[in-house]
Short mmCIF file of all heavy atoms in Angstrom, two decimals:
data_model
loop_
_atom_site.label_atom_id
_atom_site.label_comp_id
_atom_site.label_asym_id
_atom_site.label_seq_id
_atom_site.Cartn_x
_atom_site.Cartn_y
_atom_site.Cartn_z
N SER A 38 -1.67 0.12 -8.18
CA SER A 38 -0.78 -0.51 -9.15
C SER A 38 0.03 0.55 -9.88
O SER A 38 -0.51 1.56 -10.30
CB SER A 38 -1.61 -1.31 -10.15
OG SER A 38 -0.78 -1.91 -11.11
N ALA A 39 1.35 0.32 -10.00
CA ALA A 39 2.20 1.26 -10.70
C ALA A 39 3.54 0.62 -11.05
O ALA A 39 4.06 -0.19 -10.28
CB ALA A 39 2.45 2.50 -9.84
N PRO A 40 4.11 1.00 -12.20
CA PRO A 40 5.44 0.50 -12.55
C PRO A 40 6.51 1.40 -11.93
O PRO A 40 6.27 2.55 -11.61
CB PRO A 40 5.46 0.62 -14.07
CG PRO A 40 4.58 1.81 -14.34
CD PRO A 40 3.49 1.76 -13.27
N PHE A 41 7.70 0.85 -11.80
CA PHE A 41 8.87 1.62 -11.38
C PHE A 41 10.10 1.03 -12.05
O PHE A 41 10.09 -0.10 -12.53
CB PHE A 41 9.06 1.57 -9.85
CG PHE A 41 9.62 0.26 -9.35
CD1 PHE A 41 10.98 0.06 -9.25
CD2 PHE A 41 8.76 -0.78 -9.04
CE1 PHE A 41 11.46 -1.16 -8.82
CE2 PHE A 41 9.24 -2.01 -8.62
CZ PHE A 41 10.61 -2.20 -8.51
N ALA A 42 11.17 1.81 -12.10
CA ALA A 42 12.47 1.33 -12.55
C ALA A 42 13.44 1.48 -11.38
O ALA A 42 13.29 2.38 -10.56
CB ALA A 42 12.95 2.15 -13.75
N TRP A 43 14.42 0.58 -11.31
CA TRP A 43 15.44 0.72 -10.28
C TRP A 43 16.27 1.95 -10.62
O TRP A 43 16.63 2.18 -11.77
CB TRP A 43 16.35 -0.51 -10.23
CG TRP A 43 15.67 -1.72 -9.73
CD1 TRP A 43 15.41 -2.86 -10.41
CD2 TRP A 43 15.12 -1.94 -8.42
NE1 TRP A 43 14.74 -3.77 -9.61
CE2 TRP A 43 14.55 -3.23 -8.38
CE3 TRP A 43 15.04 -1.14 -7.26
CZ2 TRP A 43 13.92 -3.76 -7.26
CZ3 TRP A 43 14.42 -1.67 -6.14
CH2 TRP A 43 13.88 -2.95 -6.15
N GLY A 44 16.55 2.75 -9.59
CA GLY A 44 17.36 3.94 -9.80
C GLY A 44 18.82 3.61 -10.07
O GLY A 44 19.27 2.48 -9.84
N ASP A 45 19.56 4.58 -10.56
CA ASP A 45 20.94 4.38 -10.94
C ASP A 45 21.85 4.00 -9.79
O ASP A 45 22.93 3.46 -9.99
CB ASP A 45 21.48 5.64 -11.64
CG ASP A 45 21.43 6.87 -10.76
OD1 ASP A 45 20.72 6.88 -9.74
OD2 ASP A 45 22.10 7.86 -11.12
N ARG A 46 21.44 4.25 -8.54
CA ARG A 46 22.25 3.89 -7.40
C ARG A 46 21.85 2.54 -6.78
O ARG A 46 22.32 2.19 -5.71
CB ARG A 46 22.20 5.02 -6.35
CG ARG A 46 22.86 6.30 -6.87
CD ARG A 46 22.76 7.45 -5.92
NE ARG A 46 21.40 7.93 -5.67
CZ ARG A 46 20.71 8.71 -6.48
NH1 ARG A 46 21.24 9.14 -7.59
NH2 ARG A 46 19.50 9.11 -6.16
N LEU A 47 20.96 1.79 -7.46
CA LEU A 47 20.50 0.50 -6.93
C LEU A 47 20.76 -0.65 -7.89
O LEU A 47 20.00 -1.58 -7.95
CB LEU A 47 19.00 0.57 -6.62
CG LEU A 47 18.63 1.19 -5.31
CD1 LEU A 47 17.11 1.21 -5.12
CD2 LEU A 47 19.28 0.48 -4.14
N GLN A 48 21.84 -0.57 -8.62
CA GLN A 48 22.18 -1.67 -9.51
C GLN A 48 22.81 -2.80 -8.68
O GLN A 48 23.43 -2.56 -7.66
CB GLN A 48 23.15 -1.21 -10.60
CG GLN A 48 22.61 -0.04 -11.41
CD GLN A 48 21.22 -0.30 -11.99
OE1 GLN A 48 20.97 -1.34 -12.57
NE2 GLN A 48 20.32 0.66 -11.85
N GLY A 49 22.62 -4.05 -9.10
CA GLY A 49 23.14 -5.18 -8.34
C GLY A 49 22.33 -5.43 -7.09
O GLY A 49 21.12 -5.23 -7.07
N THR A 50 22.98 -5.87 -6.03
CA THR A 50 22.30 -6.16 -4.78
C THR A 50 22.88 -5.27 -3.69
O THR A 50 24.04 -4.88 -3.72
CB THR A 50 22.45 -7.63 -4.36
OG1 THR A 50 23.84 -7.91 -4.20
CG2 THR A 50 21.84 -8.56 -5.38
N SER A 51 22.04 -4.94 -2.73
CA SER A 51 22.46 -4.10 -1.61
C SER A 51 21.41 -4.20 -0.51
O SER A 51 20.30 -4.69 -0.75
CB SER A 51 22.61 -2.64 -2.03
OG SER A 51 21.35 -2.09 -2.37
N THR A 52 21.74 -3.72 0.67
CA THR A 52 20.77 -3.68 1.77
C THR A 52 19.55 -2.88 1.35
O THR A 52 18.41 -3.29 1.62
CB THR A 52 21.41 -3.04 3.02
OG1 THR A 52 22.52 -3.81 3.42
CG2 THR A 52 20.42 -2.93 4.16
N CYS A 53 19.75 -1.76 0.67
CA CYS A 53 18.62 -0.90 0.30
C CYS A 53 17.76 -1.55 -0.79
O CYS A 53 16.54 -1.50 -0.71
CB CYS A 53 19.12 0.46 -0.14
SG CYS A 53 19.76 1.44 1.25
N LYS A 54 18.38 -2.17 -1.78
CA LYS A 54 17.59 -2.82 -2.82
C LYS A 54 16.77 -3.98 -2.24
O LYS A 54 15.58 -4.14 -2.54
CB LYS A 54 18.46 -3.32 -3.97
CG LYS A 54 17.65 -3.83 -5.15
CD LYS A 54 18.53 -4.09 -6.36
CE LYS A 54 17.68 -4.48 -7.56
NZ LYS A 54 18.55 -4.70 -8.74
N THR A 55 17.40 -4.75 -1.34
CA THR A 55 16.68 -5.83 -0.67
C THR A 55 15.53 -5.28 0.16
O THR A 55 14.43 -5.85 0.18
CB THR A 55 17.63 -6.66 0.21
OG1 THR A 55 18.64 -7.23 -0.63
CG2 THR A 55 16.91 -7.75 0.97
N ALA A 56 15.74 -4.14 0.81
CA ALA A 56 14.68 -3.50 1.60
C ALA A 56 13.50 -3.13 0.71
O ALA A 56 12.34 -3.36 1.07
CB ALA A 56 15.21 -2.27 2.32
N TRP A 57 13.79 -2.53 -0.45
CA TRP A 57 12.72 -2.19 -1.38
C TRP A 57 11.97 -3.44 -1.84
O TRP A 57 10.74 -3.45 -1.86
CB TRP A 57 13.25 -1.46 -2.62
CG TRP A 57 13.60 0.00 -2.42
CD1 TRP A 57 14.80 0.58 -2.62
CD2 TRP A 57 12.70 1.04 -2.01
NE1 TRP A 57 14.73 1.93 -2.34
CE2 TRP A 57 13.45 2.25 -1.97
CE3 TRP A 57 11.35 1.10 -1.65
CZ2 TRP A 57 12.88 3.46 -1.62
CZ3 TRP A 57 10.81 2.31 -1.29
CH2 TRP A 57 11.56 3.48 -1.28
N GLN A 58 12.70 -4.50 -2.18
CA GLN A 58 12.06 -5.73 -2.65
C GLN A 58 11.16 -6.32 -1.57
O GLN A 58 10.03 -6.75 -1.84
CB GLN A 58 13.13 -6.75 -3.07
CG GLN A 58 13.84 -6.33 -4.33
CD GLN A 58 15.10 -7.12 -4.62
OE1 GLN A 58 15.83 -7.51 -3.70
NE2 GLN A 58 15.38 -7.37 -5.90
N ASN A 59 11.66 -6.33 -0.33
CA ASN A 59 10.85 -6.85 0.78
C ASN A 59 9.63 -5.99 1.05
O ASN A 59 8.54 -6.51 1.31
CB ASN A 59 11.70 -6.97 2.04
CG ASN A 59 12.70 -8.11 1.98
OD1 ASN A 59 12.49 -9.10 1.28
ND2 ASN A 59 13.79 -7.96 2.69
N ALA A 60 9.79 -4.68 0.98
CA ALA A 60 8.66 -3.77 1.22
C ALA A 60 7.60 -3.94 0.12
O ALA A 60 6.40 -3.94 0.45
CB ALA A 60 9.14 -2.32 1.30
#
Side-chain angles (χ1 to χ4, degrees):
S38 179
F41 75 90
W43 292 115
D45 60 343
R46 294 177 295 281
L47 278 180
Q48 304 307 313
T50 60
S51 67
T52 300
C53 290
K54 187 170 185 179
T55 299
W57 282 122
Q58 291 167 324
N59 288 333

